[in-house]
């Protein structure tokens, strides 16, 4: 069998995620099907760790602007957790005030399969149903998702998932992923930390789990590494900013369903959402990007 050319790869990758191109000039938005259902999810979302920790007026105003920027730029996914300070409360207040619930795909995480913790998260988010409920920081290969699946059966959540951002927990994540076959796995994956490519992305593909990439900028480590540097000329065809350069590396892997960069800045949200537009790097360009990151 002959190798696929760069151009053919670009067309295949685009067609696989967005369907056949309608009009070449229409700037299509990158959305990927959730493997378990086929529901399409815009490929850039919002992470909320550390950015909305305190439920005060200033934070609520920032969160409202960021969520507005997410929605205005075609995004839907918001990822939070029961342990991100007051973030669930901030989101609950802001989403209720804006009446934006139906425009969003809301994901949260629980520390354990505990009904009291779930009830608290739903109360704080002002929701009776959540889109995605994730088991936070899976660290034991024997951890069961039975309770989470039961909540899904009851209609309390539409999808279940597991998360981790620690390499030493990858064996546990892989084992739970393969055995429990959740709808999603959320894993740390960035241009300068590609460990997830070795075992987590292949395992996710095997069990048809969607992949959300936590820490896509390595907690801003990537921005610090390129501070003062211009975007390379060879990247100008697919990225308008460093943020889009970093995110498009991840999105060019068709196994990635969505990236969830964290931000408290509406302009950064709009910039990040720009990674859903325009071409993705092809395999040669991705290799060049990885070499670039390795040399930083
Ligand atoms: N175990 C787990 O399940 C786990 C663990 C960690 C994280 N997560 C999830 O992953 C999400 C992402 O991780 P993270 O927020 O810690 O780190 P990150 O997304 O890798 O980086 C966030 C940092 O990048 C900056 N930033 C964002 N967009 C930018 C832009 N366009 N230009 C310049 N700077 C930009 C942000 O600052 P500004 O606020 O100034 O934009 C912030 O300092 C979390 O929010 C959380 O939802 C999950």
């Amino acid at each position: 069998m002959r190798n696929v050319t760069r151009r053919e790869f670009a067309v295949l990758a685009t067609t696989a995620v967005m369907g056949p191109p309608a009009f070449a000039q229409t700037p299509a938005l990158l959305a990927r099907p959730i493997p378990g259902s086929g529901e399409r999810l815009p490929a850039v979302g919002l992470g909320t760790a550390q950015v909305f920790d305190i439920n005060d007026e200033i934070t609520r105003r920032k969160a409202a602007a960021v969520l507005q920027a997410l929605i205005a730029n075609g995004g839907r996914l918001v990822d939070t957790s029961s342990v991100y300070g007051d973030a669930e409360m901030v989101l609950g207040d802001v989403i209720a005030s804006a009446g934006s619930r139906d425009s969003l795909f809301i994901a949260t995480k629980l520390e354990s399969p505990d009904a009291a913790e779930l009830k608290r998260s739903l109360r704080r988010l002002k929701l009776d149903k959540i889109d995605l409920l994730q088991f936070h920081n899976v660290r034991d290969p024997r951890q069961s998702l039975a309770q989470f699946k039961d909540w899904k059966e009851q209609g309390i959540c539409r999808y279940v998932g597991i998360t981790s951002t620690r390499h030493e927990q990858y064996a546990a994540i892989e084992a739970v992923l393969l055995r429990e076959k959740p709808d999603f796995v959320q894993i740390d994956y960035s241009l300068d930390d590609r460990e997830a490519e070795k075992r987590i992305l292949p395992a996710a593909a095997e069990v048809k789990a969607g992949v959300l990439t936590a820490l896509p900028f390595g907690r801003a480590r990537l921005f610090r590494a390129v501070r003062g540097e211009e975007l390379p000329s060879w990247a100008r065809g697919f990225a308008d900013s460093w943020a889009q350069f970093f995110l498009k590396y991840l999105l060019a892997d068709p196994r990635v369903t969505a990236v969830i960069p964290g931000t408290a800045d509406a302009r950064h949200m709009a910039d990040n959402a720009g990674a859903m537009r325009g071409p993705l790097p092809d395999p040669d360009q991705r290799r060049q990007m990885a070499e670039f990151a390795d040399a930083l």
Side-chain angles (χ1 to χ4, degrees), residues 47-49 51 79 84 109 136-137 163-165 186 214-220 223 243 260-265 268 271-272:
T48 62
V51 282
D79 178 71
Y84 291 171
K109 314 183 191 83
H136 199 193
N137 291 327
T163 82
S164 175
T165 50
Q186 180 178 148
L215 306 178
F217 301 135
R219 293 204 170 94
F223 292 112
I260 46 167
T263 184
D265 182 325
H268 286 172
D271 180 16
N272 297 343

Side-chain angles (χ1 to χ4, degrees), residues 8 14 36 42 47 99 120 130 173 218 275:
E8 284 167 342
T14 309
R120 174 178 176 267
I130 187 102
I173 272 276

Side-chain angles (χ1 to χ4, degrees), residues 155-234:
I156 294 169
C157 59
R158 300 199 297 128
Y159 300 99
V160 299
I162 56 175
T163 82
S164 175
T165 50
R166 301 178 80 92
H167 295 177
E168 63 272 24
Q169 292 169 355
Y170 276 15
I173 272 276
E174 191 183 20
V176 176
L177 190 50
L178 293 173
R179 192 188 60 248
E180 300 278 350
K181 303 180 177 48
D183 300 302
F184 280 95
V185 58
Q186 180 178 148
I187 200 78
D188 55 323
Y189 182 30
S190 60
L191 177 57
D192 68 345
D193 176 3
R194 304 187 296 277
E195 191 63 24
E197 290 173 354
K198 294 187 189 145
R199 53 204 289 196
I200 306 300
L201 295 188
E206 191 180 326
V207 300
K208 298 190 170 51
V211 175
L212 305 181
T213 74
L215 306 178
F217 301 135
R219 293 204 170 94
R221 186 179 61 233
L222 280 165
F223 292 112
R224 288 192 293 275
V226 297
R227 186 170 291 150
E229 280 193 47
E230 289 283 318
L231 204 57
S233 54
W234 50 264

